[in-house]
Amino acid sequence: MNETTRHTLSVLVENTAGVLSQVSRLFSRKGYNIESIVSGESGDPGVTRITIVLLGDELMISQIAAQCRKLLPVIAVKSLDESTSLQREMALIKVKTLDRNARDEVIQMANIFRANIIVSRETLTVAIFGDRDKTEALVRLLRDFGVLEIARTGTIAIERGRSTIYDDNKIKEEYNYGKNVL
């Protein structure tokens, strides 16, 4: 039986209008729920990296990766293994701190997690950057003080070592074929 687990796909696409919508529509048409999706520029100004986290089994992930590769603006798709990649997210957690003791405790917790603090009169906002487990652990601890709001970026990821997403690049003829036909 295939086990449903969290998977991370890294997708390089041409930086064109509507490309994020096109990629996310593929997932929705197939009935897959995206846990997080982050899009940003890569080292090349004409290329955008999209990091998608979703729940599924190995077969589903390989099928959706193959479907992604067929999209014309997609340059490369790579499934990133958690043990061989760096995966991080950023979170802003606004916490109610009405008295000095609560404020001091939240600041101590933030220091333990190497998080930053943004101060206001009745709240502290904790900014944390790290893996998902680190963020979840801090959120659990801060719930005792009254979490007012949380904003998370979603996961960004890159492989460790010399291996890159370009290793799984489409062969040049396959990539250019669709452009020459249209």
Side-chain angles (χ1 to χ4, degrees):
M1 184 168 106
N2 289 336
E3 183 180 331
T4 299
T5 56
R6 184 177 310 278
H7 294 271
T8 305
L9 287 179
S10 190
V11 184
L12 287 182
V13 296
E14 293 175 354
N15 190 4
T16 58
V19 70
L20 181 61
S21 174
Q22 188 178 357
V23 171
S24 63
R25 251 191 338 265
L26 171 68
F27 286 81
S28 114
R29 276 196 318 264
K30 300 293 180 186
Y32 300 142
N33 185 40
I34 295 173
E35 295 285 311
S36 83
I37 186 166
V38 176
S39 172
E41 58 185 49
S42 67
D44 180 350
V47 177
T48 296
R49 180 185 292 263
I50 302 172
T51 305
I52 304 165
V53 177
L54 61 156
L55 295 175
D57 58 34
E58 292 295 329
L59 178 62
M60 184 202 87
I61 297 304
S62 63
Q63 287 175 342
I64 197 71
Q67 292 290 319
C68 262
R69 284 184 189 94
K70 292 178 183 177
L71 296 174
L72 286 179
V74 172
I75 299 166
V77 178
K78 192 158 196 174
S79 180
L80 300 178
D81 186 84
E82 215 172 305
S83 63
T84 59
S85 64
L86 295 171
Q87 299 193 14
R88 300 292 186 263
E89 71 176 20
M90 182 176 174
L92 298 173
I93 309 153
K94 189 185 298 184
V95 182
K96 192 176 358 176
T97 54
L98 298 176
D99 63 41
R100 186 180 190 102
N101 289 337
R103 196 175 279 271
D104 290 344
E105 281 187 64
V106 170
I107 290 171
Q108 283 180 337
M109 282 183 206
N111 287 335
I112 290 169
F113 282 85
R114 295 186 183 149
N116 295 320
I117 300 285
I118 297 102
V119 180
S120 68
R121 184 171 298 282
E122 296 174 347
T123 64
L124 290 177
T125 301
V126 180
I128 185 168
F129 180 78
D131 63 30
R132 184 176 179 81
D133 293 338
K134 178 180 177 181
T135 303
E136 289 296 329
L138 181 58
V139 168
R140 277 193 305 274
L141 290 171
L142 293 175
R143 287 205 194 280
D144 294 339
F145 297 94
V147 172
L148 299 172
E149 192 173 8
I150 299 175
R152 294 171 94 154
T153 60
T155 301
I156 57 171
I158 196 165
E159 272 195 298
R160 294 178 187 266
R162 295 187 67 134
S163 183
T164 70
I165 191 168
Y166 300 103
D167 298 342
D168 285 352
N169 214 350
K170 289 180 179 178
I171 58 175
K172 194 167 187 75
E173 299 80 32
E174 177 186 0
Y175 179 64
N176 289 329
Y177 176 73
K179 294 179 181 96
N180 296 331
V181 171
L182 298 176

